Amino acid sequence: DISALPLTEAAKFFKHAKESKDANDVVVQLCSEILARLQFLSDTGLEYLSLDRPASTLSGGETQRIRLASQLGSGLTGVLYVLDEPSIGLHPRDNSKLISALERLRDAGNSVVVVEHDSETIRAADEIIELGPGAGENGGRLIAQGSLQDIINTKDSVSGPFLSGKSQPHRPNKRRKPSKQNQLELRGASLHNLQNVDVSIPLGLFVCVTGVSGSGKSTLINETLYPALFEHLNPNSKRRPASLESISGLELIDKVISVDQSPIGRTPRSNPATYTGVFGTIRELFAKVPEARARGYSAGRFSFNVKGGRCERCRGGGLISIDMHFLPDLYLECPVCGGRRYNRDTLEIKYRGLNIAQVLDLQVSEALQIFKNVPAAQKRLQSLVNVGLGYLKLGQSATTLSGGEAQRVKLASELAKQQTGKTLYLLDEPTTGLHPIDIDKLLLALHSLVDGGNTVIVIEHNQDVLASCDWIIDLGPEGGSAGGKLVAQGSPEEVARCKGSHTGRYLKTVI
């Protein structure tokens, strides 16, 4: 079945068919067109995919690059292309392919606008526009515009110091060392393209799993390791470990937490305050206000999910849902409460001069100042600030959060909990959508988890994260059927010295 072959193998098949002695003019022309399209896909770093790969299994970055490949073959000119983080999920080895593809679109007479944090992509741009200086209400201003050197020379530029090399995200003074008695041992991992992989994962360290796109990173961690740990910790679960001969060291872990980028809620009712649990503490504080006690209000009065204190027109949602039949539902501001969620009587109760709706409208950093003397609230709010989410509003709808923001809200929720010291945290591309300043905050948060005796395993390509971790597991050497092998493992310095590692070659430039 040709469609089941990786693109590189499919290209060989059609090239052979084109050059065959039996090939007529029609076959030659068809094969040429097919080869051109396969080349466009390869040019965007997707040579490891097969033609019959279900669309539902593709990542957002892969889907975007497939669409980009289709435009490369269209031959259109005078088109404005807008791409949002096209480097997501790309190893630095493949970044050059993506940049070349974008330059080909430009050279064909098109305009290409890219929203991006990747330094290599930024350096390749003809014109750079930097917005900021902060996020949320602290941003939205034009900080700098011009060439790379113009950005570097702008004093107010937040990106300039990182682009010039003067600044870099957090690097530890000393790397933690692995212990032979404190490891997970996986033997015979063979799901998808994993080729009977044996790997040791040291516990109590900050571990990065890396490799080129399609090398088997997610298969090893999300589809093999996580199910095995979950089944061990939850014997009655239906989740079963994937193809794996054996795994040892499970008794060293008492909890496994996968911090992914799925939404923290699928309705406007879900928000950072409810997800982290800080809203419960805030409602209890409002219930203790003298005026609330005099009226007999309990903490439930300040919930927008139950009758009593909420606006009944929107049932505490602040928005009215309009069914658009064949289109997504439309949400409009409630005409009764004006989006404040609560009825008039509830809004008359104030804590430090603010009613409950005004508190939900505070940025996390502002709320931290209001509740800094309330330990239960302060700890949760501080954890959100520590992962770079101080700009979010407490009551900001979960549906407006990006995947990266949702992941960091989940991470903040875990940071605020009591640590056991034997927890394993799994994160997949946590730097998605993050500026180097935010990566610095993220790294500090992850290192704090490890300092508590826990283990953090991150699937990542970002070179600053790899340079900051204690241990690297590098898969490859290529993607698809040419990957799925353990190429190198060890400290960043040890991997950088490995000649067969694509990751090591790029690590040399940052460590």
Side-chain angles (χ1 to χ4, degrees):
D1 185 358
I2 301 171
S3 62
L5 295 174
L7 297 186
T8 49
E9 295 300 318
K12 291 179 182 178
F13 174 86
F14 287 108
K15 185 177 181 181
H16 181 268
K18 177 184 175 182
E19 297 173 351
S20 172
K21 295 180 180 179
D22 299 327
N24 55 34
D25 292 342
V26 174
V27 171
V28 170
Q29 185 174 353
L30 286 174
C31 287
S32 297
E33 290 294 325
I34 292 172
L35 285 168
R37 284 160 174 75
L38 292 177
Q39 185 60 48
F40 294 143
L41 288 167
S42 295
D43 288 346
T44 54
L46 297 172
E47 66 277 356
Y48 60 90
L49 293 180
S50 60
L51 293 174
D52 65 350
R53 175 81 172 263
S56 60
T57 67
L58 298 173
S59 68
E62 288 171 334
T63 301
Q64 187 172 210
R65 294 201 297 280
I66 287 174
R67 294 173 64 187
L68 175 62
S70 69
Q71 294 303 317
L72 285 172
S74 67
L76 294 176
T77 61
V79 177
L80 172 63
Y81 292 98
V82 181
L83 296 91
D84 191 358
E85 298 274 358
S87 67
I88 291 174
L90 270 187
H91 189 277
R93 196 280 304 268
D94 301 315
N95 246 5
S96 57
K97 295 182 180 180
L98 174 65
I99 293 171
S100 296
L102 297 177
E103 289 175 338
R104 285 171 59 188
L105 282 177
R106 175 203 62 190
D107 295 341
N110 302 296
S111 299
V112 182
V113 178
V114 179
V115 180
E116 188 59 85
H117 294 105
D118 176 69
S119 60
E120 186 179 355
T121 306
I122 294 173
R123 289 190 178 95
D126 302 308
E127 182 85 357
I128 303 170
I129 298 174
E130 181 181 3
L131 301 178
E137 294 183 355
N138 300 320
R141 296 194 291 275
L142 179 64
I143 302 301
Q145 181 173 355
S147 66
L148 174 64
Q149 199 58 47
D150 292 333
I151 303 299
I152 292 174
N153 293 337
T154 301
K155 292 182 179 180
D156 295 333
S157 171
V158 180
S159 304
F162 293 97
L163 291 171
S164 67
K166 293 180 180 179
S167 297
Q168 60 185 18
H170 173 74
R171 303 286 171 86
N173 295 324
K174 186 179 180 181
R175 301 196 193 280
R176 305 172 187 89
K177 300 296 183 182
S179 167
K180 292 184 178 180
Q181 291 74 38
N182 197 29
Q183 295 191 357
L184 284 175
E185 300 278 352
L186 281 71
R187 294 287 177 265
S190 56
L191 182 66
H192 299 325
N193 70 324
L194 293 180
Q195 300 187 32
N196 207 34
V197 173
D198 296 340
V199 62
S200 299
I201 302 177
L203 300 177
L205 270 62
F206 181 9
V207 180
C208 280
V209 180
T210 189
V212 299
S213 300
S215 60
K217 304 179 297 296
S218 295
T219 300
L220 178 66
I221 300 303
N222 296 335
E223 299 183 56
T224 301
L225 175 62
Y226 179 66
L229 289 168
F230 192 89
E231 195 269 343
H232 171 74
L233 297 170
N234 304 274
N236 296 324
S237 71
K238 295 182 180 180
R239 188 188 295 267
R240 289 290 180 266
S243 303
L244 188 66
E245 288 181 6
S246 66
I247 180 170
S248 60
L250 294 173
E251 70 282 357
L252 302 172
I253 300 295
D254 65 5
K255 185 163 57 173
V256 58
I257 297 173
S258 178
V259 188
D260 58 23
Q261 296 194 12
S262 61
I264 61 172
R266 300 189 181 277
T267 70
R269 292 179 179 275
S270 300
N271 56 56
T274 57
Y275 188 87
T276 59
V278 72
F279 192 44
T281 302
I282 291 173
R283 289 191 290 112
E284 291 174 0
L285 289 173
F286 269 86
K288 293 178 181 178
V289 171
E291 180 66 18
R293 296 175 64 183
R295 296 187 186 189
Y297 291 169
S298 66
R301 175 82 189 196
F302 302 95
S303 170
F304 48 73
N305 288 320
V306 296
K307 292 182 179 180
R310 71 182 185 182
C311 168
E312 288 304 324
R313 175 68 178 86
C314 61
R315 297 185 178 182
L319 301 170
I320 302 297
S321 175
I322 307 298
D323 186 0
M324 299 298 287
H325 299 294
F326 299 108
L327 297 173
D329 290 348
L330 177 66
Y331 290 96
L332 300 177
E333 185 179 272
C334 175
V336 175
C337 68
R340 294 182 294 177
R341 300 174 180 261
Y342 296 92
N343 59 36
R344 185 178 61 184
D345 292 340
T346 304
L347 294 175
E348 289 175 352
I349 306 301
K350 296 188 176 182
Y351 176 84
R352 300 190 64 178
L354 301 173
N355 62 40
I356 188 70
Q358 290 171 324
V359 168
L360 287 173
D361 200 44
L362 291 173
Q363 290 187 34
V364 171
S365 56
E366 296 171 333
L368 181 59
Q369 297 304 312
I370 299 292
F371 300 105
K372 62 182 178 181
N373 295 322
V374 183
Q378 187 272 342
K379 186 175 183 180
R380 292 182 171 89
L381 293 171
Q382 186 63 57
S383 67
L384 285 166
V385 171
N386 289 347
V387 295
L389 294 177
Y391 63 90
L392 289 184
K393 291 188 175 182
L394 283 182
Q396 186 169 333
S397 169
T399 57
T400 67
L401 300 180
S402 68
E405 287 172 333
Q407 185 178 40
R408 282 183 285 156
V409 169
K410 295 176 184 179
L411 178 60
S413 180
E414 294 300 328
L415 287 168
K417 295 178 181 178
Q418 187 68 35
Q419 302 297 320
T420 66
K422 295 176 66 177
T423 302
L424 179 64
Y425 296 91
L426 303 177
L427 296 91
D428 195 345
E429 297 278 358
T431 61
T432 298
L434 291 192
H435 187 276
I437 279 187
D438 298 315
I439 293 177
D440 180 66
K441 295 176 181 178
L442 174 68
L443 288 173
L444 288 170
L446 295 179
H447 276 287
S448 71
L449 287 174
V450 181
D451 288 338
N454 303 293
T455 304
V456 173
I457 300 179
V458 175
I459 299 173
E460 191 55 81
H461 296 108
N462 185 280
Q463 298 299 293
D464 290 313
V465 176
L466 297 181
S468 179
C469 74
D470 303 309
W471 194 261
I472 293 176
I473 295 173
D474 186 27
L475 299 181
E478 303 298 333
S481 60
K485 298 178 182 178
L486 180 63
V487 176
Q489 63 177 333
S491 68
E493 290 77 14
E494 290 171 333
V495 173
R497 292 194 294 268
C498 180
K499 293 182 179 180
S501 169
H502 292 302
T503 299
R505 189 167 74 252
Y506 288 93
L507 261 178
K508 289 178 182 178
T509 64
V510 294
I511 61 173

